[in-house]
Amino acid sequence: MVSPNPLASLCLSSLLLTLLVYAAAGTSYSSKNATKIGQGYRLVSIEETPDGGLVGILQVKQKTKIYGPDIPLLRLYVKHETENRLRVHITDAQKQRWEVPYNLLPREQPPPVSQSIGKFRKKPITVSEYSGSELLFSYTSDPFSFTVKRKSNGETLFDSSSGDSDPFSSLVFKDQYLEISTKLPKDASLYGLGENTQPHGIKLYPSDPYTLYTTDISAINLNADLYGSHPVYMDLRNAGGKASAHAVLLLNSNGMDVFYTGTSLTYKIIGGVFDFYFFSGPSPLNVVDQYTTLIGRPAPMPYWAFGFHQCRWGYHNLSVVEDVVENYKKAQIPLDVIWNDDDHMDGKKDFTLNPVNYPRPKLLNFLDKIHSIGMKYVVIIDPGIAVNTSYGVYQRGIANDVFIKYDGEPFLAQVWPGAVNFPDFLNPKTVSWWVDEIRRFHELVPVDGLWIDMNEASNFCSGKCKIPKGKCPTGTGPGWICCLDCKNITKTRWDDPPYKINASGIKAPIGFKTIATSAYHYNGVLEYDAHSLYGFSQSIATHKGLQGLQGKRPFILSRSTYVGSGKYAAHWTGDNQGTWENLRYSISTMLNFGIFGVPMVGSDICGFYPQPTEELCNRWIEVGAFYPFSRDHANYYSPRQELYQWQSVAESARNALGIRYKLLPFLYTLNYEAHISGAPIARPLFFSFPTYTECYGLSTQFLLGSSLMISPVLEQGKTQVKALFPPGSWYSLLDWTHTITSKDGIYVTLDAPLHVVNVHLYQNTILPMQQGGMVSKDARMTPFTLIVTFPSGATEGEAKGNLYLDDDELPDMNIGNGYSTYVDLHATVNEGAVKIWSEVQEGKFALDKGWIIDSISVLGLEGSGAVSSLEIDGKPPVGVSNVNVSTSEHEHLNSEGEGEKKTVMVALRGLNIPVGKNFAMTWKMG
């Protein structure tokens, strides 16, 4: 369901734009013409702290009144927290300011402000350095600025100084306006700063607006602040063919504008503190590893979550849902999870069942049926709790005092059930109440996961509202038009701050269609400060609730996210359109969330609204089958668009999802890698080819893991796709004998008929696959195939892969608990001698499950293809098994191939090798 009617939202936005255009007149979203504010601060004292950091005092040089009075004294705290992470924290030296709560996002705490230096000791104006293992912090005293450099080569990563010719100010720190900038080299490629829909692709684009403030506007709005706030960017540079990446996080939950010019980046923030973290990399994978070490590793997902999901707002009764499941089965399209939007609810109230359309006995029978074959069921939960004195959830909420307050009363808003109050998830009592409501609901309906939506938070009204008599909806219709009696709130500086961020892309008031920013949470925390944490805090509470049920691994899908959300939840990209442009945008957003530490991500396949064309839906499932989170979802008002609705789409779905279901063990292993190292599941090509500058801005292809490349058709009417192949050998997953090899990288035009998506596997890889199936539970028990890829025709080469298997119902994902197996796979070729072997950890789990490797195919071998001296575990296979050996010659699809050199694929079938036991296989090529 998600937003109010997106078309209505667009009309409303247009009206608001008209109203605000005068106010914004003459204000360009560029910092080039910005007026400089003040002269910054001077460092007046500095000393070492007992924990090895630096603490100093900054004094304002010239007071100004623009955006309010300056904070006269600031406290600087700097610490190398790890070998590859530096923290620079600047706050008011005299009183505590709002920061992201340390219990919400656990991390080291700076010394209390009260422990800062008592007496200022005047220091001469000097340049000083503070060195760590990988990063070097240096500062200039007057005006104060700092730089962060890479120690290995002296490269400047961040430089906050402002010269006379620079268009940005020195450090500015007021109660409701903070500004700081960094210079950047022209050739730096930046990624991140979301959530937004980026029409120019994954790379940040100079002069595009980047505003961070969680907002319920449709994802069709380009370059606008959307559902999540992630104030982090990755910076990739290439100096003389040597690439290095680093990242910068500004941990601040207040609304902000970030201005990127191509040679500088300026933050303008309406509250909080400067809390910078610098991550040294130097590879993109190192960066996300270091970043998720701080913010939390991505959540382990259950195996079924990597199956295909079907949802729709408008499955009016249970029989419709039953028909959907049956029609997927008839069409032979894989399906693991069926979803309900709010159709299952009684009057759109959370944690309820509609007794007429979803009668509990029939629903439980349906769930018994799908659970017995391994399918799962997920439903939506919105944060707004209906104001209804006969509604138990509301009664218990009032009794426990769990709601956000305004003027001493629960803040009144309107969402789908009508008038609602919003739970305050910063309050421990609210978390306990929420956990209990999840428990109660699970006893009513044994759902397998929860979908938390509208949690920016979304409100159909603005301001202070009261319930009128008789004219407000009560959850019986769509009801996104505000019908409460409301008055705008502008009486406080929290509702009308002096600096206007570019909210909703039109400088909308920050309390527009959300919780009033002068409302308050537990312990008096202002919504003004905590606004963008709402979905994050709800994810944490929901995770706690689900984890307490039967000891199973939680599955949560959240629309609103913040730094650290990936530790608890998956994400989908919200209300998109069924257009070719939105199909293209989905790739960039997906790749960004991998950088944000939320690797389980995908977009509504075929578009949320309006109805896609048949051709578009064909092409979308060919992309969506490779989203980490793969779900078809549609609007209440859109015609039906399940994948079986068109015969042609059903064929494309069988093909694309057929590949996905064979790749499930690979995807699940990537889930494990994400959980232990932060590595994204879907990645930009530069993650694997950081020195290859041609792929730095590539947003039309992507990798799964380090070596599986998806090159989809993203344009109407096309039956070919021009794809970039980085240097090396690539093998088609559709026909393993087809190879593309180049020394320096090459563009190749690939055939892509309507039902075909091009997927290629890179050299030096061992890819584990299974046989597929209609549901992941069955696909999971089929025999394994290993695909081994060497550089085409190489006389020497090695390949590696891995495989993680576990009981995916268990909350934890690790090795050594007795319910998991981890396999390292190796292969080498040396002058015609081929060796393939495994190193198994904790093999008992895989042995008990009876998993076997049935076949191994080795690609890119030089020679005639004659195989001799084959041995498995040191013995010839004769009489041991029905091993079948075959060879096929490779076809080189590009003129830069190996010329006359003949290369072959060797396939061995009927191996029957236990996955849970070490094996070694050798042979010689004739």
Side-chain angles (χ1 to χ4, degrees):
M1 165 180 53
V2 298
S3 296
N5 184 333
L7 293 173
S9 296
L10 286 177
C11 296
L12 191 58
S13 296
S14 300
L15 172 63
L16 191 62
L17 178 60
T18 305
L19 294 174
L20 292 173
V21 74
Y22 175 75
T27 306
S28 163
Y29 198 89
S30 165
S31 59
K32 288 181 180 177
N33 303 317
T35 303
K36 291 196 178 186
I37 301 172
Q39 296 179 10
Y41 286 74
R42 67 168 62 88
L43 180 71
V44 294
S45 67
I46 192 160
E47 64 182 36
E48 277 195 51
T49 61
D51 64 356
L54 295 180
V55 64
I57 296 293
L58 308 176
Q59 185 177 51
V60 70
K61 286 170 64 75
Q62 178 192 56
K63 293 184 178 180
T64 63
K65 292 183 178 178
I66 184 168
Y67 303 137
D70 297 274
I71 293 178
L73 296 174
L74 302 179
R75 198 279 303 276
L76 167 72
Y77 175 69
V78 186
K79 188 181 178 188
H80 292 281
E81 292 190 335
T82 69
E83 288 186 354
N84 44 48
R85 182 174 80 227
L86 169 70
R87 185 181 191 181
V88 178
H89 183 279
I90 303 174
T91 187
D92 189 328
Q94 295 174 301
K95 66 176 184 179
Q96 193 74 30
R97 286 181 62 81
W98 164 257
E99 299 185 49
V100 175
Y102 284 81
N103 63 336
L104 213 59
L105 189 66
R107 58 202 189 279
E108 288 185 34
Q109 295 204 38
V113 169
S114 60
Q115 290 181 13
S116 295
I117 301 164
K119 290 186 176 182
F120 304 162
R121 297 194 304 274
K122 293 285 184 182
K123 284 184 71 76
I125 298 172
T126 58
V127 177
S128 297
E129 293 185 341
Y130 169 51
S131 179
S133 297
E134 301 292 338
L135 297 173
L136 189 69
F137 173 87
S138 61
Y139 61 87
T140 301
S141 297
D142 190 2
F144 172 77
S145 68
F146 69 90
T147 62
V148 178
K149 295 181 179 180
R150 191 179 296 283
K151 194 173 175 182
S152 61
N153 60 7
E155 182 180 34
T156 299
L157 310 184
F158 194 94
D159 177 1
S160 73
S161 64
S162 171
D164 292 340
S165 62
D166 291 318
F168 45 82
S169 305
S170 291
L171 177 69
V172 181
F173 204 121
K174 299 165 185 280
D175 191 29
Q176 289 184 268
Y177 181 79
L178 288 71
E179 181 182 330
I180 194 169
S181 300
T182 180
K183 297 179 172 71
L184 291 166
K186 283 184 179 179
D187 60 350
S189 296
L190 268 61
Y191 311 88
L193 296 179
E195 177 180 6
N196 59 12
T197 300
Q198 299 176 192
H200 293 108
I202 188 174
K203 265 176 73 170
L204 298 191
Y205 192 79
S207 299
D208 271 0
Y210 297 96
T211 298
L212 280 65
Y213 188 72
T214 61
T215 307
D216 174 14
I217 57 171
S218 167
I220 66 173
N221 292 281
L222 306 181
N223 290 324
D225 45 313
L226 297 180
Y227 314 106
S229 175
H230 294 272
V232 62
Y233 69 85
M234 181 186 291
D235 180 336
L236 177 62
R237 303 179 188 178
N238 192 312
K242 186 171 183 181
S244 61
H246 67 274
V248 180
L249 166 67
L250 172 56
L251 189 61
N252 181 304
S253 63
N254 291 81
M256 69 178 79
D257 289 331
V258 187
F259 298 84
Y260 172 55
T261 67
T263 56
S264 66
L265 188 121
T266 298
Y267 299 90
K268 298 185 177 184
I269 316 152
I270 59 173
V273 302
F274 290 124
D275 194 2
F276 281 106
Y277 291 86
F278 300 91
F279 305 91
S280 65
S283 75
L285 273 178
N286 293 150
V287 167
V288 290
D289 185 2
Q290 294 153 14
Y291 182 56
T292 56
T293 297
L294 174 71
I295 68 167
R297 297 297 198 195
M301 294 288 156
Y303 202 87
W304 55 262
F306 291 92
F308 183 68
H309 304 245
Q310 178 61 51
C311 184
R312 175 180 172 79
W313 180 23
Y315 287 150
H316 299 296
N317 56 49
L318 179 59
S319 63
V320 177
V321 174
E322 290 172 322
D323 284 346
V324 170
V325 172
E326 185 60 29
N327 283 326
Y328 266 93
K329 183 179 177 183
K330 285 179 181 175
Q332 289 292 288
I333 300 170
L335 179 66
D336 256 75
V337 192
I338 187 73
W339 294 55
N340 263 129
D341 207 309
D342 68 0
D343 303 291
H344 67 286
M345 296 181 185
D346 183 12
K348 303 186 188 296
K349 297 190 297 293
D350 282 349
F351 305 118
T352 63
L353 270 185
N354 185 309
V356 176
N357 295 330
Y358 284 82
R360 183 169 181 257
K362 288 186 176 180
L363 178 59
L364 293 180
N365 285 338
F366 168 71
L367 294 183
D368 283 344
K369 181 180 175 183
I370 66 167
H371 283 155
S372 70
I373 61 169
M375 284 186 63
K376 304 296 179 180
Y377 179 58
V378 176
V379 300
I380 199 168
I381 298 288
D382 292 334
I385 301 298
V387 177
N388 183 327
T389 53
S390 63
Y391 170 39
V393 179
Y394 174 74
Q395 292 171 342
R396 291 184 290 272
I398 289 293
N400 285 284
D401 193 22
V402 303
F403 297 115
I404 292 171
K405 299 285 181 51
Y406 187 88
D407 280 349
E409 298 291 329
F411 175 77
L412 190 69
Q414 180 191 326
V415 199
W416 303 111
V420 299
N421 296 150
F422 287 115
D424 173 13
F425 293 105
L426 299 183
N427 185 342
K429 283 204 305 186
T430 306
V431 174
S432 298
W433 161 82
W434 188 255
V435 167
D436 185 58
E437 295 302 339
I438 289 173
R439 178 192 60 78
R440 290 169 181 266
F441 181 60
H442 194 266
E443 288 175 359
L444 186 72
V445 187
V447 296
D448 300 289
L450 289 175
W451 170 19
I452 52 177
D453 187 18
M454 307 292 282
N455 53 353
E456 291 74 31
S458 179
N459 181 0
F460 300 164
C461 302
S462 301
K464 184 177 181 180
C465 305
K466 58 184 181 181
I467 303 174
K469 289 185 179 178
K471 67 167 187 174
C472 227
T474 55
T476 53
W480 58 74
I481 306 301
C482 179
C483 63
L484 302 178
D485 283 340
C486 302
K487 294 180 180 177
N488 284 336
I489 305 172
T490 57
K491 64 185 180 184
T492 78
R493 61 195 181 102
W494 311 117
D495 302 296
D496 187 24
Y499 176 77
K500 310 295 187 268
I501 62 169
N502 194 34
S504 302
I506 50 174
K507 297 201 173 184
I510 55 174
F512 181 68
K513 293 299 183 79
T514 187
I515 300 166
T517 42
S518 54
Y520 54 92
H521 296 249
Y522 179 66
N523 278 347
V525 168
L526 283 165
E527 170 68 11
Y528 180 89
D529 292 318
H531 170 85
S532 289
L533 300 176
Y534 193 78
F536 177 42
S537 61
Q538 188 194 14
S539 294
I540 294 172
T542 306
H543 188 272
K544 186 175 182 180
L546 284 179
Q547 201 161 38
L549 299 174
Q550 303 172 340
K552 290 188 177 182
R553 189 176 299 174
F555 176 81
I556 300 161
L557 183 73
S558 179
R559 189 170 73 178
S560 186
T561 59
Y562 185 71
V563 175
S565 282
K567 184 178 178 180
Y568 306 96
H571 174 65
W572 93 107
T573 63
D575 296 1
N576 58 0
Q577 275 184 312
T579 66
W580 292 93
E581 292 80 9
N582 277 251
L583 170 58
R584 287 194 290 276
Y585 302 154
S586 74
I587 295 176
S588 294
T589 306
M590 169 185 70
L591 296 178
N592 263 331
F593 269 87
I595 294 171
F596 297 154
V598 190
M600 190 64 168
V601 59
S603 295
D604 288 345
I605 293 170
C606 298
F608 180 61
Y609 84 101
Q611 184 181 27
T613 64
E614 184 174 347
E615 181 191 2
L616 174 61
C617 206
N618 270 278
R619 292 309 192 186
W620 208 317
I621 185 55
E622 290 171 357
V623 179
F626 302 97
Y627 293 155
F629 171 65
S630 183
R631 183 183 73 157
D632 182 321
H633 179 44
N635 189 343
Y636 188 96
Y637 298 96
S638 297
R640 297 282 290 270
Q641 65 180 47
E642 292 85 5
L643 300 178
Y644 55 76
Q645 295 289 348
W646 301 270
Q647 286 188 6
S648 69
V649 176
E651 184 176 344
S652 293
R654 284 189 290 270
N655 291 342
L657 289 173
I659 297 172
R660 181 187 183 90
Y661 272 63
K662 290 176 183 176
L663 290 171
L664 285 176
F666 170 65
L667 289 169
Y668 194 67
T669 301
L670 292 178
N671 175 33
Y672 173 71
E673 289 182 5
H675 181 57
I676 62 168
S677 72
I681 296 171
R683 306 174 192 175
L685 268 67
F686 69 75
F687 265 66
S688 289
F689 303 95
T691 62
Y692 187 50
T693 56
E694 189 72 21
C695 68
Y696 281 13
L698 187 66
S699 306
T700 54
Q701 297 167 250
F702 59 95
L703 295 172
L704 292 177
S706 61
S707 56
L708 194 69
M709 183 170 71
I710 319 300
S711 306
V713 171
L714 302 172
E715 296 178 74
Q716 185 175 357
K718 301 286 187 179
T719 56
Q720 291 183 318
V721 61
K722 185 181 179 183
L724 177 65
F725 287 83
S729 297
W730 296 85
Y731 299 88
S732 171
L733 209 62
L734 305 181
D735 184 339
W736 302 348
T737 64
H738 287 178
T739 179
I740 292 170
T741 298
S742 69
K743 182 181 177 184
D744 301 314
I746 189 172
Y747 282 95
V748 178
T749 299
L750 304 169
D751 287 333
L754 186 62
H755 305 305
V756 171
V757 57
N758 281 281
V759 183
H760 288 82
L761 184 62
Y762 192 54
Q763 64 188 32
N764 307 327
T765 302
I766 303 180
L767 177 71
M769 296 174 68
Q770 285 174 287
Q771 307 303 309
M774 290 298 103
V775 65
S776 66
K777 181 182 177 182
D778 293 340
R780 195 174 190 194
M781 298 314 297
T782 59
F784 280 86
T785 294
L786 304 182
I787 306 177
V788 182
T789 58
F790 290 122
S792 181
T795 54
E796 289 187 23
E798 65 175 320
K800 293 181 179 179
N802 45 44
L803 177 63
Y804 177 81
L805 303 158
D806 74 355
D807 178 348
D808 69 310
E809 298 276 89
L810 294 177
D812 295 324
M813 190 178 221
N814 54 39
I815 302 169
N817 59 6
Y819 296 94
S820 61
T821 293
Y822 186 82
V823 185
D824 280 306
L825 299 161
H826 303 271
T828 57
V829 60
N830 190 337
E831 301 294 342
V834 178
K835 181 179 179 181
I836 304 162
W837 72 100
S838 69
E839 295 172 350
V840 180
Q841 298 178 53
E842 304 290 328
K844 184 177 185 301
F845 176 74
L847 290 170
D848 289 348
K849 289 289 184 181
W851 280 308
I852 62 153
I853 299 168
D854 174 72
S855 64
I856 297 175
S857 292
V858 183
L859 283 53
L861 293 171
E862 183 187 17
S864 66
V867 173
S868 63
S869 306
L870 174 64
E871 292 186 350
I872 300 174
D873 294 330
K875 298 177 183 177
V878 179
V880 176
S881 63
N882 300 313
V883 177
N884 174 270
V885 182
S886 63
T887 60
S888 307
E889 189 170 342
H890 282 300
E891 180 183 351
H892 296 273
L893 300 187
N894 62 303
S895 57
E896 227 184 291
E898 293 300 304
E900 296 302 313
K901 186 186 287 187
K902 183 178 178 183
T903 60
V904 296
M905 173 184 87
V906 173
L908 301 95
R909 298 179 182 87
L911 295 171
N912 206 37
I913 297 170
V915 171
K917 189 178 174 186
N918 290 348
F919 78 90
M921 177 184 298
T922 58
W923 73 81
K924 291 179 181 176
M925 298 297 296

